[in-house]
Amino acid sequence: MLNLTDITVRLGGRTIIDGATAKLPPRGRIGLIGRNGAGKSTLVKVIASQLEPDGGSVDMPRGAKLGYIAQEAPGGSATPFETVLAADIERAALLEESETSHDPDRIGEIHERLLAIDAHAAPSRAARILVGLGFDEEMQHRELESFSGGWRMRVALASLLFSQPDLLLLDEPSNHLDLEAVLWLEDFLKSYPATILLVSHERDFLNNVVDHILHLERGKLTLYPGGYDAFERQRAERQAQLAAARVKQQAEREKLQDYIARNSARASTAKQAQSRQKALAKMQPIAELVDDPSLSFDFPNPDELRPPLITLDMASVGYGDTPILQRLNLRIDPDDRIALLGRNGNGKTTLARLLAAQLTPMDGGINSSGKMKVGYFTQYQVEELDRDDTPLQHMTRNMAGASPGAVRGQLGRFGFSGDKATTKVGKLSGGERARLALALITRDAPHLLILDEPTNHLDVDAREALIQALNGYSGTVVVVSHDRHMLEMTADRLVLVDQGTAREFDGTLDDYISFVLSKDGSGGKGGASKADRKEARRAAAEAREKGTALRKAAKAAETELARLQAQLSALEKAMFDPANADAALTKLTMTDLMKRRAEVSGQIEAAELTWMEASEALEGIEG
């Protein structure tokens, strides 16, 4: 499907990709991985023809359609639903032409093509994709300019998925998604019918979606079969082989050097010594694994405090006069490891800000230890770092009065030693800026560490290093993340933020994932009391009853759609291919056929609307 041959890219005088070659399997789902700064996004841009390589070629089958998300998020007065539908350029053009063309032959060709591309099912398909990415009915029909950049990038992703390219290029598609949307995307990609090249740093996502790993390292590409875990095993074996080869090569090098030193001056052996010298000069060194400072995370441990750290008692919190979360009853103790779950927009960040004392309760109470120090990490802190200052300048300002040694020591915990400490932030990678933000918020050894999507700029190895550092940290951790592996490895309490409140989720992360994927509202067992559980069961029974009726309505609409589309196909065959049409229909005049076709098309639109309304209502109940 896609052949990369000797791709070389130089940026700013530095070689980023150096003669990279790979042959990707047709209909393969390939995960492109590599360390931060390895050149993954650069390679994707080369494949997408957005960047001209300095050498080499990219070859795809003639006529194959490539899909790639542009850097700019869509905007303007169009709605997400309209934007996604418009992404199928051929369908939009055919529909427009069908409204203006007066040539019966051309009209026939248009409708044959619309049938071939399943154009009539496009609205329901667009709606399903948007729902999967978190857009309810109301959100689908709001103007794009009313959404944040992250939500508009979701629309861009939905448009790309809807357009169904032959080669789907995805560069960190989960960065703007919550866990629930990531689970939906994972399920969608597993059944995608064409080739996928996916850049991701999420171990579970890669394991569950891809069937090959394409590793970009030191400018070269290596293709491995299997998911990420299989890649790690194969890479470890390869590194062990390289280590053994280095030992063997070093022994050979020392043997040659010893021979040359002993025999160069002797006439009888000078020729042999010169031969050994040439062999030594041609011996290419086997690269050693280097100690990477970007894997350095070391959170300073706080002094001990008596429990509880924080207690919420029927607290409400929000903005202005509008509460976002109410009836909050939550206790946080030292050593707690809590993951906040729930869709974006449900209030996870609002709860995090309340715990960090950035918001005060509108009602109810909050009690916290007076000696407690909090470190709160958000993506905004990464974005707001002064690009013209160095890590040393940032830390010196934030540790006013501390000795230079203490400042350097805190930076060193996070890999900023030597020249890195005096490199301007604007020249640091996204992962390095995230490490600097973590270094800054932990400078006082906080008792409570609140992390809101800390892994967005970190590669797989850096995420593993962060997980290890958190597990070695003696304080309390509250984390919001769409990275399942991180949640599994760091959290032992799950709190579901949903329906205007937050409650304990009684189960494991696997239970929660099953709950989300099954859309079973009875799967949440986090009621705080017997009365709450009874009410939840009653509500679930009502939802099941209503869901049964809606499923019947949706099924009936699907059956009606299939019947009507068969009618439409028969009418169009009678209009444009009478030799193969139903005999009864060929007796009708063209005017009667066109009139019947218009009636059936209207009935199809009504049936589609009925199906969509039933499906969306069902999503609302089951979501």
Side-chain angles (χ1 to χ4, degrees), residues 65 84-93 117 122 125 159 162-163:
K65 184 169 69 171
V84 171
L85 277 180
D88 190 337
I89 297 171
E90 181 185 12
R91 174 184 177 275
I117 64 175
R125 191 161 58 87
S159 299
F162 178 77
S163 68

Side-chain angles (χ1 to χ4, degrees), residues 598-615:
E599 290 172 353
V600 172
S601 295
Q603 291 169 353
I604 285 175
E605 288 184 10
E608 281 184 340
L609 181 61
T610 300
W611 179 88
M612 283 179 61
E613 288 174 346
S615 298

Side-chain angles (χ1 to χ4, degrees), residues 442-622:
T442 58
R443 64 191 182 278
D444 294 329
H447 303 89
L448 171 61
L449 195 54
I450 303 174
L451 306 177
D452 194 342
E453 296 291 359
T455 63
N456 273 2
H457 297 288
L458 303 181
D459 58 43
V460 183
D461 293 333
R463 291 178 188 213
E464 287 297 325
L466 175 59
I467 288 168
Q468 291 177 23
L470 287 173
N471 288 339
Y473 167 65
S474 65
T476 300
V477 177
V478 175
V479 62
V480 177
S481 178
H482 60 259
D483 187 328
R484 272 165 291 169
H485 181 65
M486 181 179 187
L487 296 180
E488 286 170 343
M489 298 299 290
T490 60
D492 50 31
R493 281 180 65 189
L494 305 179
V495 173
L496 177 58
V497 183
D498 189 26
Q499 298 178 343
T501 191
R503 62 187 186 275
E504 298 280 344
F505 184 84
D506 183 14
T508 66
L509 188 62
D510 284 340
D511 294 330
Y512 179 70
I513 290 170
S514 298
F515 165 61
V516 170
L517 292 178
S518 68
K519 304 290 187 184
D520 182 1
S522 64
K525 303 181 236 179
S529 67
K530 185 176 180 179
D532 286 340
R533 289 193 292 272
K534 183 177 179 181
E535 175 62 22
R537 287 194 296 270
R538 185 195 64 76
E542 288 182 0
R544 284 194 298 272
E545 186 175 333
K546 189 174 180 181
T548 299
L550 286 168
R551 273 189 287 273
K552 286 181 179 177
K555 183 65 177 176
E558 282 182 355
T559 303
E560 179 67 358
L561 265 174
R563 185 185 68 80
L564 290 169
Q565 286 171 341
Q567 278 191 22
L568 185 67
S569 178
L571 286 166
E572 290 179 336
K573 189 170 284 188
M575 291 171 66
F576 308 115
D577 188 16
N580 297 308
D582 185 276
L585 292 176
T586 58
K587 296 176 183 178
L588 299 176
T589 66
M590 180 60 75
T591 301
D592 288 336
L593 287 170
M594 292 181 70
K595 184 178 179 181
R596 288 271 295 275
R597 184 188 166 282
E599 290 172 353
V600 172
S601 295
Q603 291 169 353
I604 285 175
E605 288 184 10
E608 281 184 340
L609 181 61
T610 300
W611 179 88
M612 283 179 61
E613 288 174 346
S615 298
E616 287 162 2
L618 192 60
E619 289 279 358
I621 290 174
E622 296 182 338

Side-chain angles (χ1 to χ4, degrees), residues 228-268:
Y228 186 82
D229 286 348
F231 154 75
E232 270 208 332
R233 287 193 297 271
Q234 293 172 77
R235 183 175 63 164
E237 292 168 2
R238 186 171 178 173
Q239 288 173 344
Q241 292 168 355
L242 287 174
R246 278 196 298 273
V247 172
K248 183 178 179 182
Q249 185 188 69
Q250 184 60 29
E252 291 176 0
R253 183 182 292 276
E254 290 173 357
K255 185 177 179 181
L256 287 171
Q257 289 172 334
D258 180 63
Y259 185 93
I260 293 165
R262 288 186 293 104
N263 294 283
S264 294
R266 295 165 58 185
S268 60

